[in-house]
Amino acid sequence: MQKYAGSYQFTRRNHTDIDKFFSFLTQINVAVSDNRLSLGSGAEQQIFAPIAPNLFQEVGGTHQIGFRTDASGKVTHLLLDIFPEMPLEPTPLLDQSKFWFLLIGISSVLFISVLTGYAYNRREIKAMPKAQKWAVQLSAATAAWTLATLVATFVVVLNMELLDRLSRVTLSLNLYLFMPILLVLLTLAMMALSVMAWKNKYWTALKRVHYSLVALSAVAMSLFFYHWNLLGWHFG
C-alpha cells in the first residue's frame, strides 16, 4: 500500500510559461492508514478501500481511483473517475509544494529575525564602520523585499481571475514581475558582502553565520521564483 502514498500532479499543466505557478497548489496528496488510502484533509478528506489490484472504492461513496504501474510495480499514474481525461503523475521533489513551503517557512523566520534585530539594534548599527553598516542595511532591505515579494506572489498571481489569465496580462502582474528581478540583484549583492564579512571578520562568528544563512535564504527564494517561471516575463 505504501507505494501509492505521495504527492501527485496533473500531467496536463503548463511547463514553460508563468501559468506553471498555478499548479503550485493543485497537487493531490495520497496517504496510507489502516490499509486504506486518504486524499485531501479535513472536511474534504476522502477515504478509499482496495477492491481490486490498483483499484480503490470510496468508503461510503461512489467514487473510485486507480493507479497505473510499470513492469516493476512502480506507480506511474493516478487516475480519478471525476477527471478521466486528466491523469496525474508522481510529483518530483522540486515540484512539491510542501518542499517549497518548508523552504519558504525557514527563510521567512530568518528574514523576520533580521528585521527585528535591525529594529532593536539601530543604535549599535549606527555606530558600526561604514562597510559593516551597509552590509546590515542590505540584509534588512533584502529581508523586507523578499517577504513583500512572497506576499505579492500569492496576492497578485494566485488571485488573478480566470478570465484575466486566459485573455490578457494585467498591469498588476507586469509590475509585480519586477519584484523577483530586484530580489536577485539584492541577493547577489548580499552574497558578495557575505564573503567580505568572513574575509574581514565583521562582527562575531555567530553573527557572520546568521548573515550567511540569510543570504542563502535569499538564494533559495530566488530559485523558487526561477523554478515557477516567475523570474522574468514568461508569457505564452
Side-chain angles (χ1 to χ4, degrees):
M1 291 289 290
Q2 199 61 40
K3 71 179 181 181
Y4 303 115
S7 175
Y8 294 83
Q9 61 183 350
F10 289 100
T11 54
R12 291 179 60 182
R13 65 185 189 278
N14 195 303
H15 295 262
T16 58
D17 297 333
I18 198 171
D19 288 351
K20 178 181 180 180
F21 186 66
F22 293 113
S23 65
F24 183 71
L25 297 177
T26 59
Q27 297 165 12
I28 293 179
N29 293 311
V30 177
V32 178
S33 178
D34 298 328
N35 205 41
R36 294 180 175 183
L37 301 182
S38 63
L39 273 67
S41 60
E44 298 181 354
Q45 186 180 61
Q46 294 175 292
I47 307 298
F48 293 83
I51 58 175
N54 295 331
L55 185 63
F56 295 79
Q57 174 74 43
E58 182 183 12
V59 176
T62 60
H63 293 299
Q64 292 184 344
I65 62 173
F67 295 86
R68 182 179 297 158
T69 57
D70 58 19
S72 66
K74 182 180 179 181
V75 174
T76 60
H77 294 88
L78 164 62
L79 308 167
L80 308 177
D81 61 353
I82 57 175
F83 297 121
E85 76 287 356
M86 295 178 64
L88 296 94
E89 61 185 356
T91 310
L93 178 63
L94 286 180
D95 282 344
Q96 292 184 20
S97 55
K98 60 182 179 182
F99 168 77
W100 288 108
F101 274 131
L102 177 62
L103 283 182
I104 290 173
I106 295 173
S107 299
S108 296
V109 169
L110 285 166
F111 294 142
I112 291 172
S113 71
V114 169
L115 296 176
T116 54
Y118 186 83
Y120 280 101
N121 298 297
R122 283 178 294 179
R123 289 184 179 179
E124 180 183 338
I125 294 170
K126 191 175 182 180
M128 287 181 181
K130 185 176 293 185
Q132 296 184 28
K133 186 191 305 182
W134 285 352
V136 173
Q137 290 173 341
L138 176 64
S139 68
T142 303
W145 189 257
T146 307
L147 291 173
T149 305
L150 286 171
V151 171
T153 299
F154 292 95
V155 171
V156 175
V157 183
L158 284 186
N159 281 340
M160 287 180 62
E161 295 185 2
L162 181 61
L163 184 60
D164 288 335
R165 288 172 51 188
L166 297 176
S167 61
R168 68 192 184 97
V169 179
T170 62
L171 176 61
S172 60
L173 180 59
N174 265 314
L175 294 176
Y176 155 79
L177 290 173
F178 282 100
M179 298 182 74
I181 293 175
L182 183 54
L183 170 61
V184 171
L185 297 177
L186 290 171
T187 300
L188 292 174
M190 195 170 176
M191 289 296 294
L193 287 180
S194 181
V195 173
M196 293 295 295
W198 283 99
K199 182 179 178 181
N200 298 326
K201 296 184 178 180
Y202 294 169
W203 322 299
T204 64
L206 185 60
K207 288 184 178 180
R208 292 199 299 269
V209 169
H210 180 263
Y211 193 90
S212 299
L213 289 175
V214 174
L216 289 175
S217 296
V219 171
M221 293 302 94
S222 297
L223 292 175
F224 168 78
F225 294 112
Y226 172 78
H227 180 76
W228 292 103
N229 293 340
L230 298 173
L231 190 57
W233 285 261
H234 299 278
F235 299 140

